């Protein structure tokens, strides 16, 4: 079992904080690999105990159990399956009455400190003995006892039943029965579930659901990756959709409150201001409109404006132009006048959003800007949105100030019109989105045929680039879409087409979801990159308190960067010591959410790594994802993807989308059913990180990491990559020191693959290295080339192999030549024994050549560098083993052959 890190380091204060920071990690340390059977097949004992403990914490708080008793309920729950904790598997009743055994198990679970007195221990015993349908069989049933014990035992029974692997309808009936006793009132369970997770916007929607349902007397009981479970006495038989949509809309409006510049947009039809901006700060909106008018003035082009003047003048007619000219209604002719005309157009668009007719709009504009009654009548034939602003700009004597007055009045009208009632405030689109995305009790369901028809009948040019094709489609530029969103229609790129940027078609809610992400995450202030998205979901059945702790942790991590940008990790500590230490960074790292309500059943964290290839970005992201996901006090399922939206699944612990073929040997198929599967991948990545920092500097560790990851396709290649990087960093490296650093992680990595394809190859190489170490077969120095000398001689003989020479002759010559070489470079110790050792050495290499490479020189020579690298490291391992063995003082016979 790999050593896992912890993220919750703050001193715990509440009982829930103590559980998640101290007790829960210990449960997983003790029982994470003890699998269960029966209706709980597929889960571990640790997961069952964790589920029960979280449930008891929530239920005891709802039931208002006294604070001095809640720790005892938690202690009993942490060890309630005593029979599963006993090696002999004795009965729960027998074990509960064995005080020594009970105290031992309480201590192992880190809850013994809650049991202060003998009365406390007796209460824990009673609760354990009565849980899960066990009867009261001792004499205590005939004696007076606290009437609350029955209620508390029902809570523990419900906690034990909560994660049963049976259909929800059956499980909920069992839970309602026990909770009715626990609460002393009728109890009904209601679950809301989401059909799709779109990130921050879905988190806000679930927050709105929670807020409305709590208003009607329902309590959050547990959180699932795809929804939330509530309990209450009864649920009003009403449709909550409109009310939830109203709260959802207000939450979205609050998010954009500090990002008004994104809601005041210049378009080809004029400056448009959204309702969200007006709801937040009218003065800030006016500042943004004025700034855009200044940009319009700076971008004034007389020839383009002249074309518009001609177009709209001809549309109004020659007589209209003559009458307008008599009243000084002349077309725009300067940058200042052009800015005023754009301001008039913005005021017109804003008034129209308030529901006024074109005539009413221009009456108000004329009043605010100083246009006379005669002039107002004269411009009536011009187009209200495009023509009148061009010819009325000179007559607007109050200039920009008059336009600001008109805008302010229009904004106020719009704000009042949206505050008449909650029902009129929410658009039909938002109500439809709530009905589509959330499964609510007693909600009126939409007809899915409408969406299907919208998809089937859609114009090919309106196929969605983002989201599903529906009746609500927006045309957006790339800045308002996720990086890499493809264009569905390319007509403007054909000969004769316009030169503007192609539009992306998007479902309006999907587009809003991305815009919320863009303003709600702590992205770096640099050019937009293509991020990877880490989706972390709370485990199924999580306590609402875990969500609060999780939000606090993310807020704390985001505060690491005081300027509000990305947060990265200390890679040296991560690779060498497997420690997570977060620090601020302006360019790369995690773009954590800015607000806690962006986190609910799941959270999306964009990961940016700067100018690196996709495979390396995936490796770095996955390592970080696994370290966070598998930390002892978090343990969250995850999905790593380049997509903002991913498929919801509660049956898979981890998933990676888009694994390149070069990394599939290392990372598997990307579907990790159990926590143990993800732990195996984390162990591999940790080994690769240690290897990279052992042979390369931290500045080049990422490059080395990428090379090692690709070499895992054929694990024997790892030796060559390691040697190559060692030589790249050092001219004459001490291979003995290098091997001492890399042998442990390298062997762990190779054992993880458990591949048999190279077992014969490594067997013969290790055997040859062992003989070379024992016989001291090497050159006259300790450098790398001298160490590999006998193996290099073998490679040279294969390279110069002649077709007419058989292997017997080649290897006989090789033995004699190398024996002669040793006699020449050594003064003593080269005799008959040495000759036999050389013969044995080359016999082993001959077996390698014949059995592994079928005596085909081209196959062997293609692997020559890899084999030489592996041989050098096996040689160091053999010498290391020799040092631990007793020395043989026998003297070799120096006989001339």
């Amino acid at each position: 079992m790999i050593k896992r890190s912890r993220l919750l380091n703050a001193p715990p204060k509440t009982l829930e904080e103590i559980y998640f920071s101290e007790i829960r990690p210990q449960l997983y340390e003790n029982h994470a690999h003890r699998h269960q059977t029966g209706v709980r097949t597929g889960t571990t004992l640790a997961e069952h105990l964790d589920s029960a403990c979280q449930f008891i914490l929530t239920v005891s708080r709802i039931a208002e159990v006294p604070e001095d008793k809640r720790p005892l309920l938690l202690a009993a729950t942490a060890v309630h399956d005593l029979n599963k904790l006993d090696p002999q598997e004795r009965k729960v009743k027998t074990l509960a009455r064995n005080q020594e055994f009970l105290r031992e198990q309480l201590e192992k679970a880190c809850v013994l400190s809650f049991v202060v007195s003998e009365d406390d221990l007796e209460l824990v015993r009673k609760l354990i003995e009565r849980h899960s349908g066990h009867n009261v069989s001792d004499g205590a049933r005939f004696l007076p006892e606290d009437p609350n014990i029955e209620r508390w035992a029902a809570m523990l029974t419900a906690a034990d039943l909560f994660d049963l692997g049976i259909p929800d309808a059956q499980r909920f009936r069992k839970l309602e029965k026990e909770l009715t006793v626990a609460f002393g009132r009728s109890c009904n369970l209601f679950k809301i579930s989401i059909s799709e997770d779109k990130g921050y916007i879905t988190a806000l929607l679930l927050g709105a659901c929670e807020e409305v349902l709590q208003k009607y007397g329902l309590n959050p009981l547990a959180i699932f990756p795809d929804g939330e479970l509530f309990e209450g006495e009864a649920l009003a038989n009403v449709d909550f959709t409109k009310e939830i949509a109203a709260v959802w809309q207000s939450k979205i409006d609050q998010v954009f409150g500090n990002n008004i510049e994104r809601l005041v947009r210049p378009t080809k039809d004029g400056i448009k201001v959204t309702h969200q901006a007006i709801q937040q700060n009218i003065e800030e909106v006016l500042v943004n409109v004025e700034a855009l008018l200044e940009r319009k003035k700076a971008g004034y082009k007389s020839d383009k404006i002249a074309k518009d003047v001609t177009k709209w003048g001809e549309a109004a007619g020659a007589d209209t132009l003559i009458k307008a000219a008599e009243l000084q209604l002349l077309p725009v002719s300067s940058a200042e006048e052009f800015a005023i005309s754009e301001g008039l157009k913005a005021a017109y668009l804003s008034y129209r959003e308030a529901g006024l007719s074109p005539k009413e709009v221009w009456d108000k504009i004329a009043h605010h800007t100083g246009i006379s009654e005669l002039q107002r009548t004269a411009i009536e034939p011009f187009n209200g949105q495009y023509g009148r602003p061009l010819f009325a700009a000179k007559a607007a004597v109050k200039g920009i100030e008059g336009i600001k007055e008109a805008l302010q009045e229009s904004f106020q009208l719009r704000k009042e019109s949206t505050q008449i009632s909650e029902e009129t405030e929410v658009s039909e689109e938002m109500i439809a989105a709530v009905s589509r995305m959330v499964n609510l009790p007693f909600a009126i369901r939409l007809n899915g045929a409408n969406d299907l028809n919208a998809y089937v009948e859609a114009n090919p040019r309106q196929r969605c680039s983002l989201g599903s094709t529906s009746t609500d489609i927006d045309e957006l530029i790339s800045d308002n879409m996720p990086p890499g969103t493809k264009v569905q229609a390319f007509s403007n790129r054909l000969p004769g087409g316009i030169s503007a940027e192609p539009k992306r078609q998007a479902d309006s809610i999907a587009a809003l979801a991305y815009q919320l992400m863009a303003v709600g995450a702590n992205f770096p202030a640099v050019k937009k990159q293509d991020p990877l998205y880490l989706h972390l979901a709370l485990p199924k059945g999580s306590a609402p308190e875990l969500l609060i702790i999780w939000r606090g942790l993310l807020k704390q991590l985001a505060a690491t960067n005081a300027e509000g940008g990305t947060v990265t990790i200390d890679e040296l500590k991560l690779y060498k010591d497997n420690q997570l230490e977060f620090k601020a960074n302006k360019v790369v790292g995690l773009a954590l959410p800015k607000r806690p309500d962006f986190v609910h059943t799941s959270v999306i964290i964009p990961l940016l790594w700067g100018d690196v290839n996709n495979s390396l970005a995936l490796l770095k992201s996955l390592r970080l994802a696994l370290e966070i996901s598998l930390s002892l006090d978090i343990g969250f399922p995850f999905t790593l993807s380049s997509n903002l939206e991913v498929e919801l699944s509660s049956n898979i612990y981890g998933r990676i989308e888009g694994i390149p073929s070069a990394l599939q040997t290392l990372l598997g198929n990307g579907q990790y059913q159990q926590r143990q599967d993800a732990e195996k991948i984390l162990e591999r990545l940790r080994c690769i990180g240690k290897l990279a920092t052992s042979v390369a500097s931290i500045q080049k560790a990422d490059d080395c990491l990428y090379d090692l990851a690709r070499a895992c396709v054929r694990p024997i290649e790892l030796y060559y990559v390691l040697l190559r990087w060692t030589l790249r960093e050092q001219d004459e490296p001490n291979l003995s020191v290098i091997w001492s650093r890399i042998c442990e992680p390298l062997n762990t990595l190779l054992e993880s693959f458990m591949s048999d394809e190279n077992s014969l190859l490594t067997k013969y190489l290790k055997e040859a290295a062992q003989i070379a170490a024992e016989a001291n077969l090497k050159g006259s120095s300790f450098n790398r080339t001298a160490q590999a000398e006998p193996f290099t001689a073998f490679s040279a003989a294969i390279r110069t192999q002649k077709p007419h020479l058989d292997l017997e002759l080649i290897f006989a010559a090789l033995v004699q030549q190398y024996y002669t070489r040793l006699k020449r470079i050594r003064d003593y110790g080269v005799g008959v024994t040495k000759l036999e050792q050389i013969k044995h050495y080359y016999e082993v290499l001959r077996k390698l050549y014949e059995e592994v490479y079928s005596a085909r020189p081209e196959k062997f020579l293609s692997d020559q560098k890899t084999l030489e690298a592996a041989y050098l490291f096996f040689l160091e391992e053999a010498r290391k083993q020799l040092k631990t063995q007793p020395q043989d003082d026998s003297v070799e016979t120096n006989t001339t052959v």
Side-chain angles (χ1 to χ4, degrees), residues 531-542:
L532 283 169
Y533 296 102
L534 171 59
H535 303 252
L536 287 168
L538 268 70
K540 54 184 178 182
S542 295

Side-chain angles (χ1 to χ4, degrees), residues 4 90 110 197 430 462 491 563 628 732 766 793:
R4 297 190 292 182
R90 289 171 287 178
C110 293
D197 186 359
M430 296 297 285
Q462 293 179 338
S491 60
E563 298 179 3
I628 295 174
E732 287 295 334
K766 287 182 177 179

Side-chain angles (χ1 to χ4, degrees), residues 161-430:
L161 297 172
F162 182 60
D163 67 339
L164 279 179
I166 58 178
D168 283 354
Q170 298 177 31
R171 187 161 55 96
F172 287 172
R173 282 198 299 270
K174 291 177 179 288
L175 290 172
E176 287 168 350
K177 177 183 175 182
E178 298 298 334
L179 291 178
T180 297
V181 176
F183 294 145
R185 57 168 171 80
S186 63
C187 174
N188 293 282
L189 301 182
F190 308 94
K191 185 178 180 182
I192 63 169
S193 56
I194 54 175
S195 60
E196 50 191 347
D197 186 359
K198 295 179 180 292
Y200 292 175
I201 196 169
T202 303
L204 294 178
L205 175 56
L206 286 168
C209 292
E210 193 174 277
E211 189 174 318
V212 171
L213 293 178
Q214 283 182 305
K215 174 183 170 184
Y216 285 90
L218 299 186
N219 299 306
L221 192 61
I223 298 174
F224 294 81
D226 62 343
E228 193 164 358
L229 183 65
F230 293 82
E231 73 80 25
E233 289 191 59
L235 182 64
N237 191 4
V238 296
D239 187 356
F240 299 110
T241 307
K242 291 184 179 179
E243 192 171 347
I244 289 173
V247 177
W248 188 29
Q249 181 67 68
S250 68
K251 289 179 177 291
I252 293 172
D253 292 342
Q254 291 171 15
V255 172
F256 286 111
N258 296 325
N259 297 275
I260 289 176
E261 67 278 1
R262 286 181 172 268
L263 304 175
V264 181
R265 299 178 291 111
T267 70
K268 61 183 180 62
D269 298 317
I271 297 171
K272 295 183 178 181
V273 180
T274 64
H275 287 284
Q276 293 101 321
I278 295 167
Q279 293 291 330
Q280 302 306 317
N281 191 332
I282 289 179
E283 294 300 323
E284 187 68 21
V285 173
L286 287 172
V287 170
N288 278 272
V289 172
E290 193 170 2
L292 290 175
L293 292 177
E294 288 296 323
R295 287 172 56 185
K296 292 281 187 182
K297 185 195 297 185
Y300 171 71
K301 295 180 180 179
S302 57
D303 55 344
K304 186 176 182 301
I305 301 304
K307 290 179 181 178
D308 290 341
V309 168
T310 303
K311 175 183 176 181
W312 299 111
E314 290 176 354
D319 292 342
T320 301
L321 288 173
I322 294 171
K323 290 179 182 179
E326 290 174 355
L327 294 172
Q328 300 302 310
L329 293 172
L330 301 174
V332 168
S333 59
S334 67
E336 188 72 34
E337 292 170 0
F338 174 61
I340 293 173
S341 73
E342 288 294 312
L344 294 172
K345 191 187 294 185
Y348 175 85
L349 291 171
S350 184
Y351 274 121
R352 291 287 286 153
E353 287 289 328
L356 276 63
S357 67
K359 183 179 183 306
E360 292 171 331
V361 169
W362 274 101
D363 288 344
K364 288 185 174 294
I365 291 176
H367 169 73
H368 288 292
T369 58
I371 298 174
S372 68
E373 287 293 328
L374 288 174
Q375 290 172 325
R376 167 70 189 86
T377 305
I379 61 171
E380 188 66 30
F382 290 97
N383 178 278
Q385 181 175 346
Y386 301 102
R388 292 179 199 176
L390 290 172
F391 288 87
K394 290 182 184 291
V397 293
K398 292 187 179 180
I400 295 295
E401 292 302 318
I403 290 170
K404 288 171 66 176
E405 290 179 14
L407 285 169
Q408 190 152 17
E409 184 189 39
S410 71
F411 294 159
Q412 199 61 43
L413 288 172
R414 290 170 67 182
K415 190 170 186 179
E416 290 171 1
S417 68
T418 59
Q419 291 179 342
I420 295 172
S421 70
E422 285 188 344
E423 291 189 1
T424 58
E425 180 179 352
V426 186
S427 66
E428 290 297 325
E429 181 186 354
M430 296 297 285

